[in-house]
Amino acid sequence: LDKKIKLNEKDIKSEIRTKPIFMEEIIWYAIGRLGGFVKHVSETRSFHVDSKFRAVFTAAGNAGVGDESRPDMQFHYKNFDEVVEVTTSSGKTQWVMESGTVPEHVAGHQFYHAKPTNGLFIAPTLHEETVKEFWRFSQPNTLFPVKKTKQKINIIPLTIDEFQIIWKKCILSKNPSENWINILSKLHKIFEDDEEKWLKKIHQSIKDFENE
């Protein structure tokens, strides 16, 4: 995979803005390059690629085996899995399209894989209702039903700009995968009883990480 990745610290935003249809592929390349995952790279995506590692089509919302609905991407790390969902949508359309399926994918992955699972949502901009929904499902007392179980999940929403900041900091460091896993873990531990405070704390954590 590394030989196929041409990204550098300036490419992510420009690539996505000029080729939004390839957003899944670009984010997948970027996270894949950070490393640290423990399963084969072919198990990290739900979309198909050709012989040149170009996406054939985007991940289907209900892709999976049996009753399992698979997310865009799922990176398997040693102590947890990270479900990654991306979208080019914004405004009310984003909330309608993503606010229900993202929690379902995170909770479903955790249930079917029997492993602690977090969610990362990346979009050009974040609609306030989308943020509110992800904050609600990230509260300690909120559980998502899967089959006859109830799953505790956590979803962090990021803009493409914020993902770029994190990725650039990680990829230029001596240990990209360690930094990436550490910042993910830190973001998923953020708790506030108000969605606006929660989002501000996420923003501040990213700024602090950038300035370390």
Side-chain angles (χ1 to χ4, degrees):
L1 179 63
D2 233 13
K3 294 180 181 178
K4 302 292 183 180
I5 298 173
K6 305 299 183 183
L7 293 174
N8 60 43
E9 64 271 20
K10 296 180 181 179
D11 287 335
I12 294 178
K13 291 189 292 183
S14 62
E15 282 290 306
I16 289 173
R17 287 167 179 165
T18 56
K19 303 173 184 177
I21 193 172
F22 294 121
M23 184 173 172
E24 284 180 357
E25 175 191 300
I26 293 165
I27 296 297
W28 174 66
Y29 281 167
I31 298 177
R33 188 175 173 189
L34 295 172
F37 45 91
V38 296
K39 289 192 177 183
H40 191 270
V41 68
S42 63
E43 296 188 51
T44 64
R45 53 178 166 74
S46 297
F47 55 90
H48 294 284
V49 295
D50 60 21
S51 60
K52 295 183 179 180
F53 276 70
R54 303 296 298 184
V56 178
F57 49 79
T58 58
N62 60 352
V65 179
D67 293 329
E68 182 183 0
S69 179
R70 296 187 63 187
D72 297 340
M73 291 160 259
Q74 53 281 319
F75 287 87
H76 308 264
Y77 300 107
K78 181 179 179 181
N79 296 319
F80 65 92
D81 287 354
E82 191 76 21
V83 159
V84 181
E85 299 276 15
V86 303
T87 185
T88 57
S89 66
S90 57
K92 199 73 174 180
T93 301
Q94 181 186 95
W95 177 74
V96 172
M97 292 177 61
E98 307 292 344
S99 63
T101 57
V102 174
E104 177 185 353
H105 286 165
V106 178
H109 181 96
Q110 182 167 256
F111 172 78
Y112 284 101
H113 293 264
K115 186 176 178 183
T117 302
N118 298 314
L120 189 65
F121 177 76
I122 305 171
T125 60
L126 300 171
H127 187 261
E128 60 183 8
E129 291 296 333
T130 306
V131 171
K132 186 175 182 179
E133 191 74 351
F134 294 163
W135 165 80
R136 183 172 73 86
F137 279 115
S138 298
Q139 295 298 290
N141 59 346
T142 304
L143 302 173
F144 194 96
V146 180
K147 297 291 186 179
K148 295 182 179 181
T149 73
K150 292 184 178 180
Q151 303 292 315
K152 175 71 193 76
I153 61 175
N154 186 280
I155 304 166
I156 291 294
L158 298 179
T159 64
I160 293 171
D161 286 346
E162 289 172 326
F163 174 75
Q164 166 79 2
I165 289 171
I166 295 172
W167 188 82
K168 180 179 178 180
K169 180 76 175 184
C170 291
I171 205 66
L172 295 177
S173 68
K174 292 181 178 180
N175 195 328
S177 60
E178 182 178 322
N179 276 283
W180 170 242
I181 291 170
N182 286 342
I183 186 62
L184 281 180
S185 299
K186 183 175 182 179
L187 290 173
H188 285 299
K189 289 177 182 177
I190 293 174
F191 167 76
E192 286 290 343
D193 57 5
D194 175 89
E195 66 266 25
E196 292 183 5
K197 292 180 181 178
W198 180 66
L199 191 61
K200 286 180 180 178
K201 205 163 184 178
I202 292 171
H203 295 332
Q204 188 59 53
S205 292
I206 294 169
K207 289 180 181 178
D208 292 343
F209 180 65
E210 181 182 24
N211 296 324
E212 285 179 355

